[in-house]
């Protein structure tokens, strides 16, 4: 079962990576919405939906999924709903016509369905991974999965750049989303191989009691409180990255080819960071990587400000941003698996997702304040705020954090 599931996660990682470039939250999605006539508030709401609200919904979803004897049907159901949302978005964009306010809101609604169904599937995914992959293999799986994902993302980013360079809006984005829906459908082939044991049924617990379990876990475990501090400070780098595209569009103007270049550099940074983790990370020691991630993430918005004056160098900011995002993904998933047990893992996943409130608040406030404060001040304040995560990195207490 262990080898079969290992392969299943790898197959899914490959096809998912080919999918996610086509609707990348940091480059493609904000560029598409900008060309649809969106304001900075709409762009902030887009980021809040895809990064913050999607994670927050995991709290509610975890209360249902934790009571299921088998998690695989929930996993597949969530993915199929994502496929439907992407296909609908692609068809809608192909018949978009002239941009209008109601069309922007419909695009945001479809993206919300795509993101929330992904949050549902992620609860089942992480619980199955934690329950069927032995502890010594987890970090190896996460880093190898990230390596495969990075390679697949770079390949698909080349396709994105070609499509955006040679097709005009909205046909270019319509084609990307239709291709993404097809590839995501193929990704489910890996999960049909999954074999999972039966979980104890907890349907006798009411929703209020299950929510009480979340509060009890937060009160009783200092590690989960420090984890929440980490994702609410340094973790907002995910919410900050889309505004790098917005700043470039304000400075240089909209250009599909440039968006593709940003995506390619971002994914190259993700690949380099993953290779770095594989080569230099010793055993299960997460703390040095945490320090490195936080400093790199905090420096990224400042680098974007410095590089903005030289258009040919500006994509390097996305290289740093991609590396930061990859490290955050590896670290947050790995840490959450380490500080949880088979019994409380769905609870901790829900807490980790719903507790990242700043990934909702930050993009909304940034979208509202940018027209008044400007990018330099917002980005400098953001970088200083991210450094608060160093406290959490120093005090997280687990045997594998040394």
């Amino acid at each position: 079962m262990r080898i079969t599931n290992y392969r299943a996660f790898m197959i899914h990682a490959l096809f998912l990576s080919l999918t996610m470039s086509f609707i990348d939250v940091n480059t493609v999605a904000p560029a598409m919405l900008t060309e649809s006539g969106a304001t900075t508030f709409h762009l902030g709401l887009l980021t809040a939906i895809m990064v913050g609200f999607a994670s927050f919904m995991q709290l509610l979803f975890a209360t249902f999924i934790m009571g299921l004897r088998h998690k695989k049907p929930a996993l597949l159901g969530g993915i199929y709903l994502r496929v439907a949302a992407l296909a609908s978005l692609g068809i809608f964009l192909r018949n978009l016509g002239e941009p209008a306010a109601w069309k922007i809101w419909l695009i945001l609604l479809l993206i919300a369905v795509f993101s929330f169904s992904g949050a549902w599937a992620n609860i089942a995914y992480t619980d199955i991974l934690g329950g069927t992959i032995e502890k010594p293999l987890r970090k190896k799986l996460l880093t190898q999965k990230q390596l495969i994902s990075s390679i697949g993302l770079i390949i698909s980013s080349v396709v994105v750049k070609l499509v955006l360079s040679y097709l005009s809006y909205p046909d270019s984005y319509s084609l990307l989303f239709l291709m993404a829906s097809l590839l995501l459908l193929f990704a489910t082939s890996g999960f049909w191989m999954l074999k999972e044991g039966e979980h104890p049924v907890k349907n006798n617990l009411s929703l209020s009691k299950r929510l009480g379990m979340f509060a009890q876990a937060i009160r009783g475990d200092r590690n989960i409180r420090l984890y929440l501090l980490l994702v609410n400070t340094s973790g907002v780098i995910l919410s900050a990255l889309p505004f790098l595209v917005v700043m470039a569009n304000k400075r240089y103007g909209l250009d599909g080819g440039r968006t593709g270049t940003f995506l390619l550099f971002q994914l190259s940074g993700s690949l380099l960071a993953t290779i770095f983790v594989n080569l230099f990370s010793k055993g299960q020691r997460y703390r040095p990587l945490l320090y490195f991630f936080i400093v790199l993430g905090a420096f990224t918005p400042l680098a974007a400000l410095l590089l903005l004056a030289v258009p040919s160098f500006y994509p390097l900011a996305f290289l740093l941003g991609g590396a930061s995002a990859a490290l955050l993904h590896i670290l947050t998933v790995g840490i959450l698996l380490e500080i949880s047990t088979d019994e409380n893992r769905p609870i901790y996943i829900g807490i980790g997702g719903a507790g990242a409130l700043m990934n909702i608040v930050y993009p909304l406030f940034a979208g509202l304040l940018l027209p008044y404060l400007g990018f330099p001040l917002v980005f400098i304040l953001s970088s200083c705020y991210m450094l608060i995560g160093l406290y959490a990195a120093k005090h997280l207490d687990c045997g594998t954090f040394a």
Side-chain angles (χ1 to χ4, degrees):
M1 183 176 77
R2 182 186 68 181
I3 299 300
T4 299
N5 285 0
Y6 201 99
R7 290 172 179 170
F9 286 117
M10 290 296 112
I11 292 172
H12 172 261
L14 175 61
F15 282 106
L16 181 64
S17 66
L18 295 173
T19 299
M20 298 311 293
S21 285
F22 297 148
I23 192 168
D24 182 71
V25 63
N26 300 322
T27 54
V28 176
M32 177 272 295
L33 204 62
T34 298
E35 293 203 53
S36 300
T39 64
T40 55
F41 172 73
H42 291 127
L43 292 165
L45 182 57
L46 170 75
T47 304
I49 289 172
M50 296 187 75
V51 179
F53 279 113
S55 295
F56 181 81
M57 292 300 291
Q58 291 186 98
L59 175 63
L60 177 62
F61 295 156
T63 64
F64 294 100
I65 292 177
M66 66 185 287
L68 299 177
R69 186 181 298 275
H70 297 287
K71 308 298 194 297
K72 181 175 172 178
L75 173 61
L76 291 172
I79 296 176
Y80 288 140
L81 188 55
R82 300 191 95 193
V83 171
L86 280 177
S88 299
L89 186 57
I91 293 170
F92 173 70
L93 284 173
R94 186 170 291 278
N95 301 278
L96 180 65
E98 291 298 320
W102 71 269
K103 296 178 180 178
I104 295 174
W105 288 107
L106 182 56
I107 290 172
L108 288 171
L109 175 62
L110 290 172
I111 289 177
V113 173
F114 170 78
S115 299
F116 293 172
S117 56
W120 169 276
N122 184 61
I123 294 287
Y125 173 94
T126 308
D127 195 33
I128 294 173
L129 187 153
T132 62
I133 302 297
E134 296 176 0
K135 204 168 187 179
L137 287 176
R138 287 176 190 166
K139 190 176 181 184
K140 178 183 177 182
L141 171 65
L142 291 173
T143 52
Q144 287 188 351
K145 184 171 71 72
Q146 186 67 35
L147 181 61
I148 289 175
S149 297
S150 298
I151 295 172
L153 286 166
I154 288 177
I155 293 172
S156 59
S157 71
V158 175
V159 177
V160 170
K161 181 172 175 58
L162 290 173
V163 170
L164 293 179
S165 297
Y166 291 101
L167 291 180
S168 59
Y169 170 90
D171 291 340
S172 55
Y173 294 102
S174 174
L175 178 60
L176 289 178
F177 296 152
L178 289 173
M179 291 170 63
S181 66
L182 185 61
L183 287 168
L184 190 57
L185 184 62
F186 290 156
T188 61
S189 63
F191 288 146
W192 282 107
M193 302 165 51
L194 276 177
K195 300 181 185 298
E196 59 169 327
E198 291 190 354
H199 302 262
V201 178
K202 300 179 181 177
N203 288 329
N204 58 318
L205 294 178
S206 66
L207 179 59
S208 60
K209 289 183 178 179
R210 289 177 181 172
L211 292 176
M213 293 171 66
F214 291 105
Q216 183 179 358
I218 293 173
R219 288 195 302 267
D221 190 345
R222 184 169 183 260
N223 269 334
I224 194 64
R225 296 197 297 271
L226 290 169
Y227 178 88
L228 290 176
L229 176 62
L230 176 69
V231 297
N232 278 289
T233 53
S234 302
V236 302
I237 183 60
L238 293 182
S239 300
L241 291 177
F243 290 102
L244 271 62
V245 173
V246 179
M247 184 168 68
N249 289 336
K250 293 287 186 182
R251 181 66 175 264
Y252 311 131
L254 294 171
D255 182 270
R258 186 182 296 115
T259 300
T261 299
F262 294 160
L263 177 61
L264 184 59
F265 270 78
Q266 174 187 299
L267 298 177
S268 297
S270 176
L271 176 59
L272 290 173
T274 306
I275 293 173
F276 170 82
V277 171
N278 276 288
L279 291 179
F280 299 105
S281 177
K282 302 299 183 183
Q284 298 276 62
R285 296 180 179 179
Y286 285 104
R287 201 185 307 278
L289 282 176
L290 268 176
Y291 289 140
F292 180 74
F293 152 68
I294 293 168
V295 173
L296 182 65
F299 178 67
T300 297
L302 301 179
L305 292 173
L306 295 173
L307 295 169
L308 186 64
V310 187
S312 58
F313 288 168
Y314 188 70
L316 293 175
F318 289 88
L319 187 78
L320 299 177
S324 300
L327 289 173
L328 177 63
H329 177 74
I330 292 172
L331 290 166
T332 52
V333 175
I335 292 170
L336 203 56
L337 289 173
E338 292 297 327
I339 65 176
S340 63
T341 65
D342 290 344
E343 290 74 26
N344 65 19
R345 188 168 295 112
I347 298 173
Y348 276 46
I349 297 169
I351 293 172
L357 296 176
M358 282 303 298
N359 278 326
I360 299 175
V361 175
Y362 174 87
L364 292 177
F365 270 89
L368 288 171
L369 295 176
L370 277 171
Y372 306 100
L373 300 182
F375 286 98
L377 181 56
V378 171
F379 278 9
I380 290 171
L381 292 175
S382 300
S383 295
C384 293
Y385 175 72
M386 290 178 201
L387 290 174
I388 298 174
L390 290 170
Y391 177 86
K394 181 179 179 180
H395 292 90
L396 270 164
D397 183 19
C398 181
T400 57
F401 279 81

